[in-house]
Amino acid sequence: MKLTTHKARALLILLTAIIQTGLVQTAQAHVVLSPFEATYSLVIKGWPDTRIHHRLSDQGVSWQSEMSASIATARGDEHSRFRLEGDTVDAQSYSSGYRFLGFGDRYELDASELSDLPDRQTALFILSRDATTARCTHNQVAPCSLRFLNHKGEETMLKYRVAGSDQVTVPAGTFPRITVDAWDPDKPDRHLIFGFHTGVPGLMLSFEYQSEGERKSHLTLSRLTLGNS
């Protein structure tokens, strides 16, 4: 498959953007963080299958979330650090980048830029943690609103509802899952369907990107290591 620079850049942004979202820092019931290393299998319609590597690690005074992916001759990565003070999450730093045939770009956000809204890596952790107590659980209740900064530091809003909970079996095993349906208010025909582990904040079990009712990509957890990382 021949990849143009434009397509490669769009793909790497997709690999990270479709699996991340966020909301304003908020206090919820106390949870215990667990470091993990995960590998996701990602299938995108019209592209070769690929893997995404995801790591949440304890850095002492902060936590670090990292994701990386590669496909053909293109690759991309994201890194963020956040502090957990009580039950409040404070984003500290963020960086991301892509490369294709020697060309690429990087993006950086510091603590001052993240003082009001989190980056999308930190936001992924917050959303997965708070989904279990969200009130927007059915169509008769107004959807929840999510606000975060994208890789360029631009404010973005999504709406979401908690669609349900179940036990799901994926290649990495069988786990308790809570499902979140998120969408851009300006593009209501596009949906991001997240399946989070209910006991491990930040860890995805499944993901789907749907456009006009058609599944364009999906992700499943293929490998998982819990504990010190």
Side-chain angles (χ1 to χ4, degrees):
M1 176 178 290
K2 183 178 180 180
L3 295 179
T4 64
T5 302
H6 175 73
K7 286 184 177 180
R9 181 175 181 177
L11 172 63
L12 268 299
I13 290 174
L14 175 66
L15 290 178
T16 49
I18 64 175
I19 58 173
Q20 296 160 72
T21 186
L23 66 162
V24 182
Q25 291 99 320
T26 181
Q28 294 289 340
H30 181 69
V31 295
V32 177
L33 271 67
S34 175
F36 64 78
E37 292 191 35
T39 300
Y40 307 116
S41 298
L42 178 63
V43 178
I44 303 175
K45 186 176 182 180
W47 296 92
D49 297 351
T50 190
R51 293 181 178 179
I52 295 176
H53 301 286
H54 185 192
R55 182 171 185 256
L56 181 68
S57 58
D58 186 351
Q59 301 296 309
V61 297
S62 64
W63 288 79
Q64 180 164 290
S65 180
E66 310 166 57
M67 280 190 176
S68 62
S70 62
I71 186 169
T73 56
R75 63 179 55 199
D77 64 86
E78 287 199 341
H79 307 262
S80 73
R81 287 199 178 216
F82 61 87
R83 291 180 180 175
L84 185 63
E85 299 181 0
D87 296 311
T88 300
V89 180
D90 292 318
Q92 298 295 301
S93 64
Y94 168 87
S95 67
S96 68
Y98 76 95
R99 292 197 67 79
F100 172 70
L101 295 178
F103 298 93
D105 206 348
R106 292 208 65 83
Y107 306 91
E108 308 280 345
L109 298 173
D110 60 26
S112 63
E113 295 170 294
L114 298 168
S115 59
D116 294 325
L117 294 174
D119 61 87
R120 60 191 185 187
Q121 276 287 319
T122 301
L124 174 67
F125 166 80
I126 298 173
L127 176 62
S128 66
R129 182 193 66 168
D130 293 353
T132 57
T133 57
R135 297 180 178 179
C136 45
T137 58
H138 54 79
N139 292 336
Q140 295 180 344
V141 176
C144 298
S145 296
L146 303 88
R147 296 166 56 231
F148 65 101
L149 300 183
N150 67 14
H151 62 291
K152 293 183 178 180
E154 300 167 337
E155 183 175 336
T156 304
M157 173 181 282
L158 294 177
K159 299 288 187 178
Y160 80 92
R161 283 194 176 93
V162 175
S165 59
D166 60 5
Q167 291 276 332
V168 64
T169 298
V170 293
T174 300
F175 307 100
R177 176 178 65 174
I178 188 164
T179 302
V180 176
D181 178 5
W183 64 92
D184 184 334
D186 295 328
K187 301 173 182 178
D189 60 334
R190 301 180 184 181
H191 287 255
L192 313 177
I193 314 298
F194 299 90
F196 293 115
H197 192 303
T198 58
V200 184
L203 178 62
M204 291 182 295
L205 302 175
S206 61
F207 169 83
E208 287 189 15
Y209 169 61
Q210 300 177 0
S211 179
E212 298 180 343
E214 181 181 357
R215 186 172 73 172
K216 299 295 185 180
S217 65
H218 65 278
L219 169 154
T220 54
L221 177 66
S222 58
R223 295 183 64 183
L224 173 64
T225 301
L226 292 173
N228 294 328
S229 60

